[in-house]
Amino acid sequence: MITAVFPGSFDPLTNGHVDIIERSVKLFDKVIVAVVSNPEKNPLFSIPEREALIRTELKRLGKRVEVRSFSGLLVEFLKQTRSSIVIRGLRAISDYDYETQMALVNKSLWDQVETVFLVAREENSYISSSLVKQVALYGGDVASFVPPHIGKALRQKAKERGGKRKQR
Ligand code: ADP
């Protein structure tokens, strides 16, 4: 049984991530979507919020997809989950430098790691969580970038932030 891990911030999950997960399930027996708790980033959604949003979306894919979170080194998380495969999505050439750097660092930490890159679909290639957040926080329509319930959660966050701005 081959388990692969798809790590990311998923702040929030976008249609681009969903596509990579759906395609990964066809390649591996089990896919663990691993939400990275990265204290350096200033997230919009908390880790439990992100996990819940992802779970709601991926329920339809059944038991072969698991949602977890982790902090620390990815290779340690891989060992814990008895996996040696990392899935990453590649959008533009701009992703390439960072992604190969991460893949090489992980390989130098643990030689058994293999990073598998799936090329983003053309229609998703310009979608990023940070862009989606910016559009949503300025009141724009994100319906074509994220699943409907995540659009709703983004509108709620935008409302809360707007409210806070007005209170100041
Ligand atoms: P990170 O902060 O680790 O880059 P992200 O949540 O931004 O986390 O991305 C997780 C993974 O999903 C990365 O491999 C990224 O390249 C990929 N990804 C992000 N957006 C898309 C997209 N629109 N299409 C395909 N893959 C994507």
Side-chain angles (χ1 to χ4, degrees), residues 6-11 14 16-17 20 41 88-91 95 98-99 120 124-125 127-129:
F6 182 37
S9 310
F10 307 108
D11 186 36
T14 68
H17 297 132
I20 297 291
K41 286 192 178 177
R88 294 287 288 177
L90 269 188
R91 285 163 294 186
D95 277 344
Y98 175 73
E99 292 295 340
N124 292 335
S125 62
I127 303 177
S128 68
S129 298

Side-chain angles (χ1 to χ4, degrees), residues 56-96:
T56 301
E57 177 58 24
L58 302 181
K59 228 173 10 201
R60 64 191 160 83
L61 296 177
K63 287 212 171 97
R64 284 173 50 222
V65 179
E66 213 178 274
V67 183
R68 309 226 342 224
S69 67
F70 77 99
S71 57
L73 288 176
L74 176 59
V75 291
E76 294 307 325
F77 181 74
L78 288 166
K79 287 176 191 170
Q80 265 174 38
T81 54
R82 295 180 186 285
S83 169
S84 57
I85 296 171
V86 178
I87 301 163
R88 294 287 288 177
L90 269 188
R91 285 163 294 186
I93 192 78
S94 50
D95 277 344
Y96 182 83

Side-chain angles (χ1 to χ4, degrees), residues 3 6 10 22 28 30-32 37-38 42 49 55 57 65-67 75 77 84 97 103 105 117 136 158 167:
T3 300
F6 182 37
F10 307 108
E22 285 171 341
F28 304 103
K30 186 172 166 188
V31 174
I32 300 176
S37 164
N38 184 347
N42 183 17
E49 283 173 333
R55 274 200 190 102
E57 177 58 24
V65 179
E66 213 178 274
V67 183
V75 291
F77 181 74
S84 57
D97 268 353
V105 167
F117 293 108
Q167 277 167 26

Side-chain angles (χ1 to χ4, degrees), residues 101-134:
Q101 195 183 355
M102 288 304 295
L104 289 172
V105 167
N106 285 329
K107 196 141 187 77
S108 76
L109 292 171
W110 189 34
D111 194 55
Q112 281 181 48
V113 175
E114 293 298 349
T115 304
V116 174
F117 293 108
L118 297 184
V119 175
R121 275 181 205 281
E122 200 176 359
E123 64 264 35
N124 292 335
S125 62
Y126 62 94
I127 303 177
S128 68
S129 298
S130 51
L131 209 109
V132 165
K133 278 185 281 192
Q134 273 182 40

